[in-house]
Amino acid sequence: MSAMDDIAAMLGPRLSRGASVCEQHGRSEAHYALAPPDAVAFPETPEEVAAIVRACAADGTPVTAYGTGTSLEGQHLAIRGGISLDLSRMDRVLAVNAEDLNAVVQPGVTRTRLNEELRATGLFFPVDPGADASLGGMAATRASGTTAVRYGTMRENVLALQAVMADGSIIRTGSQARKSSAGYDLTHLLVGSEGTLGILTELTLRLHPLPEAVAAATCRFPTVADAVNCVILVIQSAIPMARIELVDEMMVRGFNLHSGTDLPEKPHLFLEFHGAPTAVAEQAAAFREIAAEFGVAGWQDATTTEARSALWAMRHNAHYATGALEPGKRTLATDVCVPISTLAEAVVEAQDLARTMGLTSAIVGHVGDGNFHCGVRVNPEDAAEMARVLDFSGRLAETALRLGGTVTGEHGIGLGKQKYMAAEHGPALAWMRAIKAAWDPANILNPGKMLPPES
Ligand SMILES: Cc1cc2nc3c(=O)[nH]c(=O)nc-3n(C[C@H](O)[C@H](O)[C@H](O)COP(=O)(O)OP(=O)(O)OC[C@H]3O[C@@H](n4cnc5c(N)ncnc54)[C@H](O)[C@@H]3O)c2cc1C
């Protein structure tokens, strides 16, 4: 029997070969072409995941894990066919250990679902990519978001894992302790491995106390360099920002078109402060003192919970708002991250380059971390335009590496960034290949992703 027959016998209707289900799992929010799997499996337990992987290992069928399919570098696409392993039915919050500030979840729980479940506890899970992604997918891409500047990324917020390995065995890594010196850190090898080393079937996540007071605001600056230089000084002054997000003038235009706002088309910072009420007031005052040096104007407090939610919803929808700038095209999102002292140089260079190359590009950035995205509109059917946009993206990657940064702060490698792996990692790339070969010798787990083909 083939793997597909075995899995069909095990899952019954929970293995779907229907064209629309396969297409839905082979589609991306980004510019990548449709790449449907041969079938989609919907397991409900770690043991079922293990049995599926064992069946696939027996005849070399590719297995690509699927959370919510929001990754932006084509990570979840089944480019070699096989099984798309949809983990959305493994969606239980297994435990909330409030006294230890952690929660144990299945991989299909989304970040907003977890926070809904935590509502009565006074705790929250901070990592917030714009999409309502699954926590398994977020761990697999080492995702972050607007609050990483204060609370860290998935790297800092995953304590322990259960994973199914390429031979179908089930392992546990890490513990509920806040720290450990016990052996190789397999938890953090799996975090960010994009489903190429194992399937995450359970996650223990770090939780944080809800802040006593929250204050949010927006303000604008004469130029993007002023806004970013303000951010650099704020971070270097150790003001504990909870959120500090840049949107450039083009992105503001996108928001106005998409959300019906009428923000002045100038670079803006979106801000949030967390702490005790007096601490929040002090942080905001310290920020405003620094911002005054850079010509800040138009300070707008978002005082109510509704106003704050509207502000961050607008920011989280930036990917879609970019669409309003040039309807009918797709958005290619770049994702470089640089040391904070070089951020102004990188952002200004990105804006100038887009203008010189005649591209419609809007910048948003988790700038407190030195991370920013250019959302560039492109028609993937237009080969010349696609080549120009990829050239732009490549030049930004070169800039990031020249400045001591990385080609991806949070979106990951997937398909699109493989070409920069050698430049970023040098000889370390061979050691990554050795890990993949040792952990998945038959190359069944998300084959063709992350590691570039050997030349
Ligand atoms: C509008 C929008 C805004 C975004 N904003 C951000 C942002 O601010 N920050 C950010 O980091 N990202 C952002 N993203 C990208 C995306 O949301 C993240 O990459 C997210 O972590 C993907 O999660 P997912 O559940 O959709 O995973 P998927 O896209 O389904 O999968 C992503 C990868 O993880 C693997 N995977 C999924 N589940 C598992 C599992 N259980 N075990 C092993 N491997 C698994 C898949 O095989 C694939 O390689 C944004 C995307 C959109 C569309």
Side-chain angles (χ1 to χ4, degrees), residues 29 72 111 128-131 146 245-248 250-259 270 310-326 330-333 361-366 373-377 410-411:
E29 294 276 357
L72 293 174
R111 65 175 181 86
D128 67 333
T146 61
E245 295 282 310
L246 171 74
V247 299
D248 78 347
M250 188 68 102
M251 191 66 250
V252 172
R253 187 179 305 166
F255 286 146
N256 287 341
L257 290 169
H258 183 255
S259 313
F270 291 6
L311 173 64
W312 296 115
M314 178 164 72
R315 167 61 189 90
H316 280 137
N317 278 323
H319 187 75
Y320 304 109
T322 311
L325 294 168
E326 222 183 341
R330 309 295 296 266
T331 296
L332 183 147
S361 160
I363 294 183
V364 285
H366 310 305
H373 312 296
C374 300
V376 194
R377 297 297 284 164
E410 57 182 16
H411 292 168

Side-chain angles (χ1 to χ4, degrees), residues 165-294:
M165 308 308 281
D167 64 354
S169 57
I170 300 179
I171 64 165
R172 284 191 177 276
T173 71
S175 76
Q176 296 208 2
R178 301 283 283 187
K179 61 185 199 177
S180 166
S181 289
Y184 296 129
D185 188 349
L186 300 188
T187 305
H188 291 98
L189 190 48
L190 286 162
V191 170
S193 64
E194 300 186 357
T196 63
L197 295 180
I199 310 294
L200 314 181
T201 45
E202 189 185 292
L203 302 92
T204 303
L205 302 172
R206 195 179 278 240
L207 304 177
H208 300 259
L210 278 167
E212 198 184 332
V214 177
T218 59
C219 55
R220 63 175 188 269
F221 292 82
T223 66
V224 85
D226 290 320
V228 178
N229 281 318
C230 170
V231 172
I232 294 171
L233 200 49
V234 164
I235 297 297
Q236 288 171 344
S237 307
I239 298 174
M241 301 301 300
R243 289 167 150 161
I244 181 163
E245 295 282 310
L246 171 74
V247 299
D248 78 347
E249 46 275 58
M250 188 68 102
M251 191 66 250
V252 172
R253 187 179 305 166
F255 286 146
N256 287 341
L257 290 169
H258 183 255
S259 313
T261 46
D262 60 353
L263 293 167
E265 288 183 13
K266 286 281 174 194
H268 278 64
L269 292 179
F270 291 6
L271 312 164
E272 198 165 275
F273 307 94
H274 291 179
T278 47
V280 161
E282 279 165 20
Q283 290 164 29
F287 177 91
R288 292 183 78 158
E289 208 174 302
I290 291 176
E293 292 177 36
F294 298 96

Side-chain angles (χ1 to χ4, degrees), residues 380-436:
E381 311 298 321
D382 178 341
E385 187 178 61
M386 193 69 211
R388 216 151 34 95
V389 172
L390 289 176
D391 181 28
F392 171 73
S393 175
R395 291 204 214 177
L396 290 197
E398 278 166 23
T399 300
L401 295 178
R402 174 172 50 80
L403 296 175
T406 173
V407 301
T408 170
E410 57 182 16
H411 292 168
I413 296 294
L415 293 167
K417 296 268 166 67
Q418 290 180 17
K419 50 184 175 283
Y420 312 123
M421 285 288 275
E424 176 149 348
H425 296 293
L429 179 57
W431 292 91
M432 292 190 192
R433 289 191 199 286
I435 291 169
K436 172 70 174 171

Side-chain angles (χ1 to χ4, degrees), residues 29 64-72 75-76 87 107 129-131 133-134 136-138 140-141 143-145 194-195 198-200 316 319-320 366 410-411 446:
E29 294 276 357
T64 302
Y66 185 98
T68 59
T70 64
S71 51
L72 293 174
Q75 282 98 331
H76 61 283
L87 293 143
S134 73
M138 286 167 59
T141 54
S144 62
E194 300 186 357
I199 310 294
L200 314 181
H316 280 137
H319 187 75
Y320 304 109
H366 310 305
E410 57 182 16
H411 292 168
N446 208 0

